[in-house]
Amino acid sequence: MSVSREILKGFVDMHVHAGPSIAVRKVDAAEMLFQAEEAGYKAFLVKDHYFPTMMGTKMVTQHLAKNGCQVFGGIALNQSVGMFNLHAVDAAYQLGAKTVYMPTVSARNHVVGHSGGHFVGSGNMQIVDNGSIYLDEEGNLNPDCVKVIEYIAKRPDIILCTGHGRAAEVDAVVTKAVELGVAKICVNHPHFLVNATYEQMTKWADMGAYIELNAAVFSSIAKSGTCPDEVIGEILKAVPKEKIVLDSDLGQKVNVAPVEGMYQFICKLVDEFGVTEEEINLMGKETPSMLLGI
């Protein structure tokens, strides 16, 4: 690797799948903290598809953090929390949630996208979730979804994340969020599962949303990844660097640990795509710090 590991100092990973979780994870939140601190991370955020993560992240930050690394959490609006459950969103916010995700595992698009194999993140869930579509044929969002967006619009410290819906659902969410004045919007891996076009990514960035570029979806980094590396170059051309959020989306048992995977991905960006250290710092440190308010 031609890039020094010093580049990880101050890094902020907004998308880590650390345990405890229904699925077996590579690391739990405490182990992730130890590895992040060793690398010099400023912060990371733990995402879980089934339960809010703030109870665990608050505890590990309070009792285990030694070098100032902060650990944050969020809530994903899937069936396990009642989908567009405003009470769950409010409770999560009171507990310090930084991110609210539109449906991930409970989006019909996610279910269809994994119909050919088991989704590793679901562990051994026993009750079938056939997934929901939250955009009607006329292009109107589910009213309860709109209520959640309205709630977020009044709280500029929450990051609205778009989840695993199809591109049309993501577009409707971004459009409504901008209309209602949501301060922080992050489009989750539009190049994976969402199947957005590069033109849509450009459009969403122009509207003010941040576009996620994550390591885990690329087959050259993660065993579970399916995207070819050329997608990286296309995203870098379609989206301004100041609108990209660089993160790992790692933590799956079959893959490399999040910190190591993040380092490998950074090296790829620098060595193969000509991304500068300043741009890495912007996408992986400055922008996510701004979004998290740290």
Side-chain angles (χ1 to χ4, degrees):
M1 301 289 185
S2 63
V3 182
S4 169
R5 287 185 178 270
E6 292 292 306
I7 202 166
L8 293 176
K9 290 187 175 180
F11 198 83
V12 178
D13 190 341
M14 276 182 47
H15 195 154
V16 175
H17 288 287
S21 177
I22 290 170
V24 177
R25 295 304 188 187
K26 194 79 170 183
V27 291
D28 63 27
E31 292 167 325
M32 175 64 196
L33 174 61
F34 299 148
Q35 294 177 17
E37 286 193 324
E38 184 177 3
Y41 274 35
K42 180 179 181 180
F44 64 92
L45 187 144
V46 177
K47 176 185 178 182
D48 188 86
H49 294 294
Y50 294 95
F51 285 103
T53 55
M54 292 76 64
M55 291 181 68
T57 59
K58 287 174 76 75
M59 282 193 291
V60 297
T61 297
Q62 181 176 350
H63 297 292
L64 299 178
K66 298 178 180 178
N67 299 326
C69 182
Q70 299 182 71
V71 190
F72 299 105
I75 182 173
L77 301 182
N78 294 310
Q79 291 287 8
S80 54
V81 298
M83 288 285 283
F84 300 116
N85 181 352
L86 203 56
H87 296 284
V89 173
D90 187 41
Y93 177 67
Q94 303 310 321
L95 196 54
K98 290 288 188 178
T99 47
V100 174
Y101 303 86
M102 292 291 106
T104 59
V105 295
S106 291
R108 179 75 56 79
N109 186 60
H110 173 98
V111 175
V112 172
H114 289 88
S115 60
H118 177 70
F119 174 56
V120 66
S122 64
N124 293 315
M125 292 288 287
Q126 301 296 301
I127 299 176
V128 175
D129 184 347
N130 291 316
S132 299
I133 297 172
Y134 48 95
L135 188 69
D136 67 21
E137 293 181 357
E138 285 73 44
N140 300 308
L141 285 167
N142 179 312
D144 291 331
C145 173
V146 175
K147 289 179 182 177
V148 170
I149 298 174
E150 290 173 340
Y151 180 95
I152 295 171
K154 297 174 183 177
R155 294 159 181 83
D157 50 333
I158 301 178
I159 307 164
L160 170 61
C161 297
T162 56
H164 294 185
R166 68 192 195 281
E169 289 170 306
V170 171
D171 185 64
V173 166
V174 172
T175 300
K176 178 60 69 173
V178 171
E179 174 190 321
L180 294 174
V182 173
K184 301 171 182 178
I185 306 165
C186 182
V187 178
N188 297 123
H189 48 64
H191 46 299
F192 171 73
L193 203 58
V194 175
N195 295 321
T197 65
Y198 298 115
E199 290 77 15
Q200 286 175 312
M201 297 180 204
T202 302
K203 171 190 172 183
W204 296 331
D206 288 343
M207 292 173 71
Y210 293 85
I211 309 300
E212 186 182 48
L213 178 59
N214 44 354
V217 304
F218 293 100
S219 56
S220 61
I221 299 294
K223 290 182 179 179
S224 63
T226 58
C227 288
D229 284 354
E230 50 261 35
V231 172
I232 299 170
E234 294 299 324
I235 291 176
L236 292 173
K237 286 191 295 184
V239 182
K241 305 294 192 306
E242 61 268 21
K243 302 302 294 186
I244 293 177
V245 173
L246 183 64
D247 59 36
S248 73
D249 193 3
L250 288 165
Q252 303 82 9
K253 183 67 174 179
V254 298
N255 291 329
V256 64
V259 172
E260 180 59 29
M262 196 68 252
Y263 174 62
Q264 292 178 15
F265 193 48
I266 289 172
C267 290
K268 177 178 289 291
L269 292 173
V270 173
D271 294 343
E272 300 178 27
F273 294 92
V275 177
T276 67
E277 182 175 342
E278 290 75 19
E279 290 169 336
I280 294 294
N281 289 339
L282 174 63
M283 297 185 291
K285 302 175 187 180
E286 296 169 26
T287 296
S289 290
M290 177 276 295
L291 291 172
L292 289 170
I294 57 176

